[in-house]
Amino acid sequence: MEGVMMRNGDAYGLAVRRPDGSIRAQRLPWFSLTRRAWLKKTFVRGFPILLETLVNGIQALNRSVEAAAQSGEEELSGWHLALSLGLALLMAIALFVVAPHLLSLVMLWLHLGGDVEGLSFHIWDGFFK
């Protein structure tokens, strides 16, 4: 599977290399959850944008797999995609939540930071994130 996905406004381009070496390019609509004004507010927009990026990315991967499957390779089924998404979410939580928190606890152990409720702990946590 080889390909490139690029977003521009309400559309994205997807170019996928086929097994014969040719390139298939498409312009597709961007799935968006932030069409309503209140979902574009500063502290609200992060999670909906994350979800729409995941949906569009998985759709692009599926199209890339379909192009690769033309060569006789096996297509991904629904449970493969669910397992991949679950594993990706677990890795993201481990990398961006658990690891910085543990590193901040190491700083506490090294007497370079305060306790969990202290400001220095959160500064270290933010620095590692």
Side-chain angles (χ1 to χ4, degrees):
M1 280 187 317
E2 294 181 51
V4 176
M5 178 179 117
M6 298 177 81
R7 178 182 179 190
N8 183 14
D10 288 340
Y12 70 97
L14 179 66
V16 179
R17 185 178 305 276
R18 291 182 174 166
D20 63 359
S22 65
I23 296 175
R24 176 182 169 199
Q26 294 177 291
R27 181 185 174 150
L28 301 159
W30 182 263
F31 169 75
S32 181
L33 294 171
T34 56
R35 301 234 188 259
R36 294 189 175 97
W38 70 272
L39 286 172
K40 293 181 182 179
K41 299 279 186 207
T42 304
F43 291 105
V44 178
R45 68 179 174 222
F47 189 68
I49 289 174
L50 173 67
L51 288 179
E52 72 184 34
T53 303
L54 281 172
V55 167
N56 288 304
I58 290 172
Q59 286 177 348
L61 281 173
N62 284 338
R63 287 187 175 91
S64 180
V65 167
E66 287 172 6
Q70 291 174 356
S71 66
E73 294 180 17
E74 190 177 315
E75 253 186 79
L76 291 177
S77 65
W79 74 270
H80 285 112
L81 293 173
L83 182 66
S84 297
L85 182 61
L87 185 61
L89 286 173
L90 282 175
M91 289 176 62
I93 290 170
L95 186 61
F96 295 110
V97 177
V98 176
H101 203 75
L102 289 177
L103 288 170
S104 298
L105 288 173
V106 168
M107 292 310 211
L108 172 64
W109 181 71
L110 293 173
H111 302 291
L112 296 173
D115 63 348
V116 178
E117 295 176 6
L119 178 64
S120 61
F121 180 88
H122 294 288
I123 290 173
W124 280 116
D125 190 55
F127 175 75
F128 291 128
K129 285 181 182 176

